[in-house]
Amino acid sequence: MRDPSVSRYSAGRLSPIRRAADLRRLRDEQFDVLVIGGGATGAGAALDAASRGLKVALVEARDLAAGTSSRSSKLIHGGLRYLEQLELHLVHEALTERGLLATRLAPHLVRPVPILVPLPSAGLPRRAWQRGYYGLGVAAYDAFAGIFGTGRGMPLHRHLTRDGARHLFPSLRADRIAGAIRYYDGQVDDARLVVNLARTAASLGAAVVTSARVTGFVREARQVVGVKVRDLEAPGSEEFEVRARTVVAATGVWSDDMSQMLNDVGVRPGLRVRASKGVHLVVPRSAITGESGLILRTATSVLFVLPWGGHWIIGTTDTDWQLDRAHPAASARDIRYLLDQVNAVLDRPLTTDDIEGVYAGLRPLLSGEADSTSKLSREHAVVEPMLGLLLVAGGKYTTYRVMAADVIDRAVRRLGGPARPSRTAELPLLGADGYAAAWRDRHDTARRHGVTAGVVEHLLERYGTLTVHLLAMISAQPELAAPLAGAPEYLAAEVAYAALAEGALHLDDVLTRRTRISIETSHRGAESAAHAAEIMGQALGWDATVRQKEIEHYLARVTAERQSQTKPDDETADAARMGAPDVRGLAADRREPLLEIDL
């Protein structure tokens, strides 16, 4: 639990000093719950457990949100296609979570985004059927969200004529549509939400340590009583044991690794996870004329075209992936597929020259009998393969809180003692408290701090009410008000803040996750690397050698990603991407031709 004399903000500050203190705690204390995995589900589980008054630790091999949780479509949504598949409980659950995030838990990070469902051009009977069919689906979507509920957080849908649709989205080809339906979902910076989850858990007393790789379980008889950990920021140090009454593995596409650590005692965890690759393109806002997003049906999945600040995000693919899990590669075939799908409805076709950024992520799907990953379940499961160890897998980003509550419910029952129900539905994340008032008073805030209203709006939409701390940094060091080289949308203060308060340890952490410079600039962050390394170096005490190594690593990563995106298929793209080693020196995530393992 947090020391009452320490402010919530100070207690949730993931600074270098805090990391050293939390490392000592890992070595010296026994925890009620130890969470493995710093994605949305893992950070959510740590928060859920800490909010119930349990002693909690979270360890992550790389960075917060380094895997799937930073590479999504940036949507908090119920899933229209799940409604079509009659997975009604999943839709209702996800829409409930969307409302909580948009209105109570993280209104500074989750906000409405309008999306058009184009109605294909056809004869009158066909057009009438399509409008009725899709209209019924979107109406049901609104109904599940609670038409009369105050917590839905999104406007209701609206039917549009062809002219109305092209007024909102002039780049739509007039000959391909007969009209559209506009509905709303939530948009989020997925990586920033995970950082806020982890910091909120830390503010409640959780020890949060990244660059801490679990290498094995500590067992007594047939019970897991902890894990073995190696600090990847101190490569010469020996691994150490962390003791815990319950271990929760929320490791996504790495779930099989947890299972394999138990193979020597013949444990059968009872679930298997398959990785489905989703690729997204980022193009400048000027490449497409529109004020709303699009959702399009494709032969294998759905395609989103979503406004993202001064850019558009186009995605996604849905294909099986059995190669490197840490850095899944987008191939030229993936890119061509997305361009072909979106160009079918645009009046000015996009080309590869329009692309600013490309990113690929892996969905952890509960494996079944279906050959296509698009048919695998988006539901989650919690299993206890061995006393003291809980695995949670599957699900979707939007329902991270439900997954976290489910696994911690199991942990609480196992630990015994008084019943402690989940509190996270009522617990705003750091930056959420007072956000509406802060937004209302943003012009006054700008005048008081001598910055433009645009700067304050930018910071509020990324940090919420924590903005005051960045403005205080700028007041103390005016040079931090300068834009970052090569990325004028971001301030130098944001790089310093990432290192001093958000747990960023490497240049890649800042350019890829604390900011989105790696996908929002045509140079992929190469022109920002030196300036960002200088700022991070001052915050973290890097000497010239370390700064240069960080820059070289980042530039090698950019080069390898560019090369992979010119390769014709997954195998050659993966080989090219592997040309740049991981900054944390990991080699265990390369999945050679996968052997089927009965779990």
Side-chain angles (χ1 to χ4, degrees):
M1 295 292 290
R2 169 171 61 89
D3 182 343
S5 66
V6 179
S7 73
R8 191 179 180 210
Y9 164 72
S10 295
R13 187 179 173 113
L14 298 181
S15 65
I17 294 174
R18 172 63 179 267
R19 183 178 188 275
D22 283 351
L23 271 170
R24 288 193 296 271
R25 289 186 61 193
L26 293 185
R27 289 182 167 93
D28 298 341
E29 299 179 18
Q30 182 184 40
F31 296 90
D32 295 318
V33 175
L34 169 67
V35 179
I36 308 170
T41 305
L47 172 57
D48 191 289
S51 70
R52 302 191 201 204
L54 300 174
K55 181 182 283 191
V56 180
L58 180 149
V59 292
E60 159 60 41
R62 290 178 176 77
D63 182 30
L64 295 169
T68 304
S69 294
S70 62
R71 308 178 194 186
S72 73
S73 296
K74 321 304 181 200
L75 285 177
I76 297 293
H77 66 121
L80 274 178
R81 65 171 164 165
Y82 308 145
L83 187 64
E84 190 175 36
Q85 295 164 356
L86 299 180
E87 295 184 282
L88 305 184
H89 65 292
L90 186 59
V91 175
H92 184 262
E93 179 181 80
L95 290 175
T96 299
E97 294 304 306
R98 185 191 71 176
L100 285 171
L101 284 162
T103 62
R104 182 183 305 161
L105 307 185
H108 57 309
L109 295 174
V110 178
R111 56 189 60 89
V113 59
I115 302 175
L116 296 184
V117 182
L119 303 175
S121 182
L124 182 59
R126 179 74 175 171
R127 292 204 308 271
W129 182 88
Q130 287 173 339
R131 188 173 287 276
Y133 178 76
Y134 288 110
L136 181 62
V138 176
Y141 199 64
D142 277 344
F144 272 103
I147 291 177
F148 303 106
T150 58
R152 55 176 287 110
M154 305 287 155
L156 295 173
H157 77 280
R158 179 185 173 191
H159 283 258
L160 302 170
T161 64
R162 177 177 3 205
D163 289 343
R166 296 198 72 244
H167 177 73
L168 284 177
F169 207 108
S171 282
L172 275 174
R173 284 177 53 181
D175 63 327
R176 297 299 300 269
I177 64 167
I181 302 170
R182 183 184 66 189
Y183 75 101
Y184 287 80
D185 254 324
Q187 187 167 63
V188 66
D189 186 323
D190 46 10
R192 293 211 60 78
L193 180 59
V194 173
V195 170
N196 272 36
L197 287 168
R199 292 189 62 193
T200 307
S203 77
L204 297 174
V208 177
V209 181
T210 59
S211 282
R213 184 177 182 84
V214 171
T215 59
F217 294 114
V218 179
R219 299 195 299 262
E220 292 179 357
R222 293 188 62 82
Q223 180 168 331
V224 172
V225 295
V227 299
K228 299 174 183 177
V229 170
R230 177 171 289 116
D231 178 9
L232 299 179
E233 297 303 308
S237 63
E238 295 183 358
E239 66 183 24
F240 59 93
E241 292 186 357
V242 184
R243 309 289 287 194
R245 298 170 65 195
T246 303
V247 175
V248 171
T251 49
V253 295
W254 287 271
S255 294
D256 287 354
D257 290 14
M258 300 296 105
S259 305
Q260 290 168 4
M261 290 180 187
L262 298 172
N263 278 353
D264 63 321
V265 289
V267 171
R268 299 172 62 86
L271 60 82
R272 286 167 47 201
V273 173
R274 280 176 64 181
S276 167
K277 184 177 70 167
V279 174
H280 295 79
L281 310 180
V282 181
V283 302
R285 197 66 179 264
S286 59
I288 302 172
T289 306
E291 299 299 323
S292 174
L294 295 178
I295 181 173
L296 307 168
R297 183 192 294 273
T298 72
T300 58
S301 62
V302 296
L303 185 79
F304 286 105
V305 182
L306 300 169
W308 176 257
H311 317 270
W312 294 93
I313 292 176
I314 302 169
T316 179
T317 60
D318 196 348
T319 55
D320 197 38
W321 178 263
Q322 295 186 353
L323 300 168
D324 178 62
R325 291 164 294 169
H327 306 293
S331 67
R333 180 170 58 195
D334 296 323
I335 294 169
R336 175 47 53 194
Y337 168 81
L338 291 173
L339 290 177
D340 287 346
Q341 295 297 323
V342 73
N343 284 340
V345 298
L346 296 181
D347 62 354
R348 185 189 79 80
L350 301 176
T351 71
T352 54
D353 291 337
D354 292 304
I355 296 173
E356 294 176 302
V358 181
Y359 64 95
L362 300 177
R363 306 176 191 89
L365 305 178
L366 295 182
S367 185
E369 299 302 320
D371 292 331
S372 169
T373 57
S374 64
K375 298 178 182 178
L376 293 180
S377 176
R378 261 60 172 184
E379 296 199 55
H380 70 273
V382 177
V383 298
E384 187 172 10
M386 192 172 188
L387 286 176
L389 175 65
L390 297 171
L391 303 183
V392 56
K396 51 186 287 189
Y397 191 106
T398 300
T399 56
Y400 79 86
R401 196 193 64 82
V402 176
M403 297 169 65
D406 282 355
V407 72
I408 300 303
D409 281 346
R410 288 280 295 270
V412 167
R413 288 197 297 272
R414 191 184 172 280
L415 293 170
R420 296 171 173 175
S422 176
R423 298 177 49 230
T424 52
E426 307 292 331
L427 181 62
L429 303 185
L430 288 178
D433 284 326
Y435 176 68
W439 184 261
R440 182 194 63 217
D441 298 336
R442 63 193 184 278
H443 294 286
D444 289 339
T445 300
R447 281 194 294 271
R448 287 199 310 272
H449 289 274
V451 298
T452 66
V455 164
V456 174
E457 290 176 357
H458 166 79
L459 294 177
L460 283 172
E461 289 181 338
R462 288 172 48 74
Y463 305 93
T465 50
L466 298 179
T467 291
V468 294
H469 300 290
L470 284 97
L471 293 174
M473 291 173 63
I474 290 171
S475 296
Q477 294 180 266
E479 65 272 18
L480 293 179
L484 195 65
E489 300 91 347
Y490 295 96
L491 304 180
E494 297 181 76
V495 176
Y497 188 77
L500 293 172
E502 296 184 329
L505 301 176
H506 294 280
L507 187 57
D508 186 50
D509 301 343
V510 169
L511 296 181
T512 307
R513 287 172 290 277
R514 303 305 184 277
T515 71
R516 292 318 182 105
I517 293 169
S518 66
I519 61 171
E520 292 177 346
T521 58
S522 58
H523 55 79
R524 311 284 176 97
E527 296 178 9
S528 308
H531 189 193
E534 178 186 355
I535 299 166
M536 285 194 76
Q538 292 173 356
L540 299 178
W542 292 347
D543 60 22
T545 300
V546 173
R547 293 185 195 186
Q548 189 57 36
K549 285 183 178 178
E550 288 285 331
I551 295 169
E552 289 173 358
H553 168 270
Y554 187 80
L555 296 180
R557 179 210 132 160
V558 170
T559 298
E561 285 189 346
R562 287 188 183 278
Q563 290 176 348
S564 71
Q565 291 155 19
T566 66
K567 303 302 181 183
D569 53 42
D570 284 350
E571 288 73 18
T572 54
D574 177 71
R577 178 59 186 87
M578 292 299 290
D582 194 290
V583 68
R584 289 170 169 88
L586 300 178
D589 292 313
R590 180 146 186 89
R591 181 173 286 186
E592 299 298 339
L594 186 65
L595 299 176
E596 285 294 327
I597 301 172
D598 290 328
L599 302 179

